[in-house]
Amino acid sequence: MVGIIIASHGEFADGILQSAGMIFGEQENVKAVTLKPSEGPDDIKAKMEEAVASFDNQDEVLFLVDLWGGTPFNQASSLIEEHKDKWAIVAGLNLPMLIEAFASRFSMNTAQEIAASILDTAKDAVKVSPEELEPAESATPAAQQGSAGAPGKFEYVLARIDSRLLHGQVATSWTKATNPTRIIVVSDEVSQDELRKKLIQQAAPSNVKAHVVPIHKMIELAKDDQHFGGQRALLLFENPQDVLRAVEGGVPLETINVGSMSHSTGKVQPNKVLAFDQDDIDTFAKLKELGVDFDVRKVPADQRGDMDDIIKRAQEELNKQN
């Protein structure tokens, strides 16, 4: 896993690491390094070297620093001089950038790949209210907009179950593979959580709009045959129960990508990324009865898993518990 060093003047690095942990969870191979008022360049460089030495993989290191040209940046630059082919620095650190870097480590194995992928998220996070203070933007090319307003319904390019919803694997690998014009998180719970809604909207790639809607609204949108012609929708669900409600309500999903289902009390884990309880197993059985196929993959490059075999193993483990 790529190691991340967060470096700043003062205690900013410690604070933003704590904030990111509250939202995304505690992370391994991440260190905050601070330059205190009484310290100089050699002090923060020594801290950076100590941080790198603590990482499991010292070949891939990403520095996220507060200011381009500041002391933390300059000392990081001196360290990567011998690692230009692998290490990277991104300046202008903000919270969405850091969260995106954490998420990207699940699907990206190099520091430079992550550095390139988090730039749009960091830039898009800078917004102003009231909105009329925003500078006028140039028109988005028609090929990226889709034919909004043209008669017709959504084209569903991907429907995915992922407990983490919109994160690095979706914002990079899956959007590149499916080329959506809209990412739609379908969840009653998330639609009522303003913080999570904002983070999801910020995590969307450039030129792809992200929306969060409750299940009943998605059902309404799916039945609208006038306003979404040319729009390519990527749907994200937290769990199979929400998918079942959507399908039973009329959302025409033929295949569900099963990417990640987090573990919790009472669930069994037949593989590294999927955890099931009896309700999950029963729900997948109902979806199968409705003619839905399952595509078990974290990222597009993965080999598809056998859902029947996974469910069978999960059922056997649950039976042993009872």
Side-chain angles (χ1 to χ4, degrees):
M1 178 176 284
V2 173
I4 297 177
I5 293 177
I6 307 164
S8 72
H9 297 78
E11 304 299 325
F12 174 54
D14 287 329
I16 198 170
L17 177 57
Q18 183 184 60
S19 297
M22 292 174 63
I23 296 169
F24 199 83
E26 297 299 320
Q27 298 291 304
E28 297 180 352
N29 293 300
V30 177
K31 295 292 183 181
V33 173
T34 62
L35 176 65
K36 297 180 180 179
S38 61
E39 295 177 330
D42 290 341
D43 296 302
I44 193 167
K45 184 175 182 179
K47 293 178 184 179
M48 289 177 174
E49 291 173 333
E50 183 179 355
V52 171
S54 72
F55 292 154
D56 295 337
N57 179 8
Q58 298 170 22
D59 291 331
E60 296 290 345
V61 179
L62 174 63
F63 293 85
L64 303 179
V65 303
D66 53 359
L67 289 174
W68 185 275
T71 299
F73 171 84
N74 292 335
Q75 295 310 306
S77 295
S78 69
L79 288 176
I80 74 166
E81 193 64 29
E82 297 179 2
H83 306 273
K84 285 183 177 180
D85 58 331
K86 291 190 174 182
W87 292 11
I89 306 173
V90 180
L93 174 64
N94 60 27
L95 185 55
M97 175 202 292
L98 181 55
I99 293 171
E100 182 67 15
F102 287 171
S104 296
R105 295 197 300 173
F106 288 103
S107 59
M108 300 180 183
N109 298 319
T110 73
Q112 294 187 355
E113 186 181 12
I114 293 174
S117 74
I118 65 178
L119 293 178
D120 286 336
T121 295
K123 294 173 183 177
D124 290 343
V126 181
K127 300 184 183 297
V128 65
S129 183
E131 293 183 359
E132 40 287 13
L133 298 177
E134 290 272 8
E137 296 181 358
S138 58
T140 304
Q144 294 173 337
Q145 290 179 336
S147 53
K153 297 183 178 181
F154 283 119
E155 176 186 354
Y156 298 96
V157 297
L158 182 73
R160 176 179 173 90
I161 297 173
D162 193 325
S163 302
R164 297 167 295 171
L165 294 174
L166 181 52
H167 58 93
Q169 289 173 351
V170 175
T172 55
S173 299
W174 283 109
T175 54
K176 289 177 182 177
T178 60
N179 193 29
T181 59
R182 295 287 186 273
I183 295 175
I184 306 176
V185 171
V186 186
S187 169
D188 290 348
E189 181 179 345
V190 180
S191 68
Q192 299 175 20
D193 188 326
E194 290 302 320
L195 176 59
R196 292 184 72 186
K197 285 171 63 175
K198 288 181 180 179
L199 289 172
I200 285 168
Q201 290 165 351
Q202 292 169 352
S206 295
N207 303 319
V208 181
K209 291 186 177 180
H211 311 269
V212 181
V213 300
I215 298 169
H216 74 87
K217 184 64 176 178
M218 187 64 236
I219 293 170
E220 292 176 9
L221 295 175
K223 295 177 180 178
D224 187 331
D225 59 2
Q226 292 298 315
H227 297 99
F228 303 111
Q231 294 297 321
R232 298 167 55 84
L234 188 160
L235 306 188
L236 297 173
F237 299 86
E238 283 190 290
N239 55 64
Q241 290 77 18
D242 286 352
V243 176
L244 179 60
R245 286 178 56 196
V247 171
E248 289 179 333
V251 181
L253 302 179
E254 298 179 356
T255 301
I256 301 296
N257 169 236
V258 185
S260 173
M261 292 175 60
S262 60
H263 187 271
S264 60
T265 304
K267 292 197 174 191
V268 297
Q269 203 160 355
N271 68 17
K272 292 182 179 180
V273 296
L274 299 179
F276 302 90
D277 58 19
Q278 191 61 54
D279 185 32
D280 295 325
I281 291 175
D282 294 342
T283 300
F284 279 117
K286 291 177 182 177
L287 285 167
K288 187 174 181 178
E289 290 174 2
L290 293 171
V292 177
D293 293 326
F294 305 113
D295 172 13
V296 184
R297 285 185 294 170
K298 287 197 304 180
V299 294
D302 286 348
Q303 184 176 357
R304 296 191 181 197
D306 185 333
M307 190 61 166
D308 289 337
D309 181 63
I310 292 170
I311 291 290
K312 180 181 177 181
R313 285 187 279 121
Q315 186 67 71
E316 289 173 351
E317 291 184 37
L318 283 171
N319 290 341
K320 291 178 182 178
Q321 291 182 355
N322 299 327

